[in-house]
Amino acid sequence: MAPDAETSPIDRPDALTQTYLGFGPHEVRVIVEFEIHDPAREKEIPVKAYYPLAEGPFPVIIFSHGAGDSNESSPHLMRHWASQGYVVLLPTHYFGERPLIERSLGRLARELLRPARQGPSAWFERTGDLRTVIDSLPTLGSIAPALDRKIDPSRIGVGGHSFGAYTTMLLGGATLKDKDGSVLRFDDPRPKSFMMISGPGHDSWGLTESSYDAMTRPLMVFAGSHDPPPTFASDPMWRAEAYTCGPAGDKYLAFIRGANHMSYVGPIFDLPLRDPGKRGPVAQALRRSMRWLAAFAPGLDQVGIFDYSRIASTAFWDAHLKEDP
């Protein structure tokens, strides 16, 4: 998907594109944090929620953050989905005793090393967090009263970025081969669709090219030309293996020229942004200029890449959680 000054749908949007690009019809509220108790692991899972102010119920999207991050991840993409009529829940993944949870390079290093040291079984912790959130959905209003009667627990989507995309694909049916050769499964039958943003391909942590064989439910994969594997040893399409190696049927790939590891999720800080669907003449002229430059250097137009991410992701959720043809 390449921004192009001559053909870009954003330059001459039809009604559907404009709907998905701009803020949705719902005013968004945020619960900064509440906790869900997992009795099996004796663990409290911190969760942040974005939700429409209007009367529900709405489909729910559970989003898994990347390594070293927290439930503060991707605020503008989360707000966008909530404005389009979704309750979005973001758990913070942590291991052992709960530390002061913040974005840090130290947490990033520890999380990256954990699967290498412990092997594929390390992923039980992250997938367990998502499973606990799903378990809580029918009674979540008693924990967070603002969400009472907001959630339809029969319409669940799971998405994630980077390590969160790894976690998402495991919940969606991807298998891992453990050090002893045994096959590990983490799948949960309740989510209806999955979104992997800058996730991995087969690696030394247990993913093989056949790991995706059981991923039969709808999924969407985001990958980009400036988002290579961590080792830089293979093509950026490595990040699209869940799409290219998985079984056919309701599978989608947005491979975006110029996208780096963070391009798809937008600014990392929750600062107010203008509605991208209501840009004025000056802003539209600037967008045309940036798309022209992107034809020569795609990475220059990060705003445009995030525009495409908003459009494609919302269309996917609407198709498979709202059954919108």
Side-chain angles (χ1 to χ4, degrees), residues 27 36 70 74 76-77 122 128 136 181 216 219-220 240 249 288 302 314:
E27 188 176 347
I36 298 174
S70 70
S74 317
H76 294 283
L77 188 58
S136 75
T216 57
L219 67 85
M220 184 167 200
R288 285 193 292 270
Q302 293 298 306
T314 307

Side-chain angles (χ1 to χ4, degrees), residues 65-265:
H65 63 75
D69 209 336
S70 70
N71 57 23
E72 296 294 320
S73 173
S74 317
H76 294 283
L77 188 58
M78 304 301 107
R79 283 184 180 275
H80 184 80
W81 291 342
S83 76
Q84 297 281 354
Y86 294 91
V87 173
V88 186
L89 303 175
L90 290 90
T92 292
H93 302 291
Y94 68 93
F95 308 97
E97 293 186 9
R98 180 177 174 179
L100 175 65
I101 295 173
E102 58 183 7
R103 291 171 168 149
S104 73
L105 292 177
R107 282 191 68 219
L108 174 62
R110 288 192 295 274
E111 288 188 59
L112 290 174
L113 289 172
R114 184 179 173 87
R117 291 172 175 169
Q118 187 174 332
S121 61
W123 296 100
F124 279 110
E125 194 73 24
R126 269 181 164 259
T127 54
D129 292 344
L130 299 188
R131 210 181 312 277
T132 299
V133 175
I134 295 173
D135 291 343
S136 75
L137 293 180
T139 58
L140 199 57
S142 64
I143 303 171
L147 300 180
D148 189 34
R149 296 191 294 274
K150 292 283 187 184
I151 291 174
D152 180 351
S154 69
R155 294 186 290 168
I156 304 169
V158 176
H161 173 246
S162 192
F163 252 35
Y166 206 136
T167 311
T168 297
M169 70 171 68
L170 295 177
L171 211 70
T175 58
L176 297 181
K177 183 174 288 188
D178 209 344
K179 295 177 180 179
D180 61 2
S182 61
V183 175
L184 300 180
R185 302 182 183 275
F186 306 79
D187 57 305
D188 190 293
R190 292 170 290 182
K192 296 173 69 69
S193 54
F194 301 87
M195 184 175 296
M196 280 131 279
I197 302 175
S198 191
H202 67 279
D203 58 21
S204 58
W205 296 338
L207 276 176
T208 68
E209 291 186 11
S210 61
S211 288
Y212 318 99
D213 291 351
M215 296 185 70
T216 57
R217 284 168 283 181
L219 67 85
M220 184 167 200
V221 175
F222 283 86
S225 63
H226 288 31
D227 189 14
T231 61
F232 297 93
S234 55
D235 189 271
M237 280 294 288
W238 174 81
R239 294 198 180 276
E241 281 188 7
Y243 170 82
T244 59
C245 298
D250 292 324
K251 305 298 191 295
Y252 309 87
L253 169 66
F255 187 85
I256 307 177
R257 285 196 304 144
N260 61 52
H261 197 59
M262 300 300 297
S263 299
Y264 326 90
V265 296

